[in-house]
Amino acid sequence: MTPEATAHLSELLAQVTGFIYPNEIEIHWSILIVVYPYITGLVAGAFILASLENVFNVEEVRPTYRLALLTAFSFMMVAPLPLLLHLGHPERFYEILLAPNLTSAMAMFGFVYGWYLVGVLLLEVWFEYRRDLILLSRRAPVPMRWFYRAASLFSTDISAAALAFDQKAIRIITIVGIPSAFLLHGYVGFIFGSVKANPWWSSVLIPIVFLMSAIVSGIALVIFLYMILAALRKEQVDMKCLDTITSYLFYAVIVDFTLEALDFTHRLYESEESVRILGSLIRQKLFLSLIVLQILLGMLVPLGLLIVAKWQKLSEDGRKLLYFTAVILIQVGIFSTRWNIVIGGQLFSKSFRGLMEYKMAIMGLEGFLTALLLLVLPFVVLAVLIKLLPTKPLMDEAHTPA
């Protein structure tokens, strides 16, 4: 063993408490694998919120429809990057498509991702914006005129029949997209829930918990973006829309809280020989991230804020302040949930007698700055899309001559 390897091993052993197996010294899934399910959850939640208007005819949420759709599309474009960077050779990503391993859950993500990005989100965005792209191609200066013309695929028909066809196509795509969104994030939960050897992950409820928390985080993100966008544009927030969406958020948080409590109770009940190490894990390693950030600040406090906002006769400004605070805390809680599952599940040994420590690097491919960049990148993509595509239909230019 080289002196460098010996020094590295000594450093790692200093982080060990109790007895662990020799091959369990390092934490293999890093912060990037925490970011990965967090971003995919936002995609699924935002899309399900967007589907409320198209499929369930909830007219109150119409002001956030395009924003939710663009949010889902933006985050979906970045969603696979954490996973690809973690694998070490992102330039080889196409190989899982050319030589698919049908028995690998990870490999199948490539197909789920491709279908959801192109077959659902891209198509729905195009049909939703086709008319506006045509109108923009008529009035925008060169070279943006060329861009909008190409983006509309050189379509020019904005007749009533063509627009009716667009709406019908959007509705069909959304209906197909809802189970696709469930599949996308249910699959992420399946990855963890199917690891039978790990009592922190092995649970049939994990895919459902992932899915429900995804809905919560996606709705909260769209509310946050809607309020920020209104403030930047100096526009009035549609309080009827905001009250309706936060009502859906409130019920989603209650269901999510119930499922997580049930999953946690079930896990402890069936853990048997691992219950002691899981107790030590929570007390020693996850107290801040699980008890304080995830449960207290990320779930109970937002729930309390939403209850006060709903059942107290507050002014519009008072409700907006509580809503805004609640959705920020919910994001903290959901990210902590991902952290506790991914990192927490790797902090105890299979001997059930030792705990490890995860030290996150600042620099490097799997460091804090890379994770921060990946979390910011979808917002940059979304800002560009909002700059190019209006979040409100161009009503006045409907009959602009060619």
Side-chain angles (χ1 to χ4, degrees):
M1 182 178 289
T2 64
E4 292 79 11
T6 304
H8 181 59
L9 181 61
S10 300
E11 182 185 352
L12 292 174
L13 285 174
Q15 303 167 22
V16 172
T17 304
F19 174 83
I20 65 170
Y21 289 117
N23 61 344
E24 295 178 331
I25 294 175
E26 286 189 286
I27 302 294
H28 297 289
W29 286 0
S30 69
I31 181 68
L32 294 188
I33 305 302
V34 179
V35 172
Y36 162 63
Y38 177 68
I39 292 181
T40 55
L42 294 172
V43 174
F47 181 81
I48 289 170
L49 175 61
S51 69
L52 287 175
E53 197 278 334
N54 275 331
V55 178
F56 302 105
N57 299 319
V58 184
E59 280 296 327
E60 291 83 357
V61 304
R62 184 68 190 175
T64 61
Y65 167 66
R66 284 189 169 189
L67 178 61
L69 194 59
L70 292 180
T71 301
F73 187 65
S74 303
F75 279 75
M76 191 62 182
M77 291 177 72
V78 181
L81 289 184
L83 192 56
L84 293 175
L85 292 176
H86 174 75
L87 293 176
H89 288 283
E91 75 280 4
R92 297 181 185 173
F93 74 94
Y94 63 89
E95 292 183 5
I96 66 170
L97 301 174
L98 298 180
N101 181 357
L102 301 181
T103 61
S104 167
M106 282 286 187
M108 291 309 294
F109 171 72
F111 294 96
V112 175
Y113 171 80
W115 159 252
Y116 194 68
L117 177 65
V118 179
V120 175
L121 287 175
L122 185 60
L123 270 181
E124 182 163 342
V125 168
W126 189 81
F127 276 109
E128 171 63 27
Y129 279 97
R130 190 188 69 83
R131 169 184 168 276
D132 286 1
L133 290 172
I134 294 170
L135 297 176
L136 288 168
S137 70
R138 293 175 179 176
R139 70 176 188 179
V142 175
M144 290 308 297
R145 175 175 301 181
W146 300 337
F147 167 78
Y148 286 120
R149 190 168 294 172
S152 68
L153 300 181
F154 305 99
S155 173
T156 58
D157 189 356
I158 56 172
S159 64
L163 298 181
F165 179 82
D166 289 346
Q167 290 304 311
K168 187 176 180 180
I170 290 170
R171 184 176 175 82
I172 293 173
I173 293 169
T174 306
I175 292 173
V176 174
I178 291 175
S180 301
F182 281 38
L183 178 63
L184 175 72
H185 212 65
Y187 140 81
V188 180
F190 172 81
I191 293 290
F192 292 97
S194 59
V195 182
K196 301 174 185 175
N198 190 318
W200 190 248
W201 290 340
S202 180
S203 168
V204 293
L205 287 175
I206 279 281
I208 304 173
V209 169
F210 262 69
L211 181 60
M212 205 62 226
S213 59
I215 293 174
V216 169
S217 65
I219 294 176
L221 177 65
V222 174
I223 293 172
F224 172 80
L225 292 171
Y226 176 60
M227 297 180 75
I228 290 289
L229 205 58
L232 292 176
R233 291 174 172 172
K234 302 185 186 307
E235 295 176 348
Q236 285 292 322
V237 172
D238 187 328
M239 287 308 296
K240 192 174 181 181
C241 170
L242 196 59
D243 287 334
T244 303
I245 297 180
T246 49
S247 294
Y248 287 115
L249 177 65
F250 172 71
Y251 295 120
V253 171
I254 289 179
V255 175
D256 182 41
F257 179 72
T258 306
L259 283 173
E260 288 192 26
L262 182 61
D263 175 58
F264 188 70
T265 307
H266 177 259
R267 198 174 302 161
L268 288 180
Y269 180 75
E270 71 165 5
S271 56
E272 297 180 350
E273 71 275 11
S274 61
V275 66
R276 181 172 296 179
I277 192 67
L278 294 184
S280 299
L281 175 70
I282 294 170
R283 288 194 306 273
Q284 298 180 29
K285 301 293 183 182
L286 300 181
F287 183 82
L288 177 63
S289 60
L290 177 64
I291 305 299
V292 178
L293 293 179
Q294 179 183 333
I295 297 177
L296 183 61
L297 289 181
M299 192 163 289
L300 295 180
V301 173
L303 206 54
L305 293 175
L306 291 175
I307 289 173
V308 172
K310 293 292 178 188
W311 276 273
Q312 296 296 322
K313 295 180 179 178
L314 300 178
S315 64
E316 288 189 0
D317 288 341
R319 296 208 304 281
K320 283 191 284 189
L321 178 62
L322 294 184
Y323 292 154
F324 193 73
T325 307
V327 296
I328 291 176
L329 290 177
I330 284 173
Q331 293 302 328
V332 173
I334 298 299
F335 189 84
S336 300
T337 304
R338 309 299 184 230
W339 173 278
N340 294 324
I341 291 176
V342 176
I343 302 299
Q346 302 174 82
L347 291 182
F348 63 92
S349 169
K350 289 185 178 61
S351 67
F352 296 146
R353 285 187 290 171
L355 292 174
M356 291 165 278
E357 179 119 5
Y358 172 60
K359 291 179 69 176
M360 182 168 53
I362 301 298
M363 308 295 288
L365 196 60
E366 301 206 30
F368 171 76
L369 291 180
T370 304
L372 186 62
L373 177 65
L374 291 171
L375 288 172
V376 172
L377 189 56
F379 292 97
V380 176
V381 176
L382 178 62
V384 173
L385 287 179
I386 290 177
K387 188 73 176 176
L388 294 173
L389 303 173
T391 54
K392 295 179 182 177
L394 300 177
M395 302 298 291
D396 296 335
E397 293 82 358
H399 303 293
T400 302

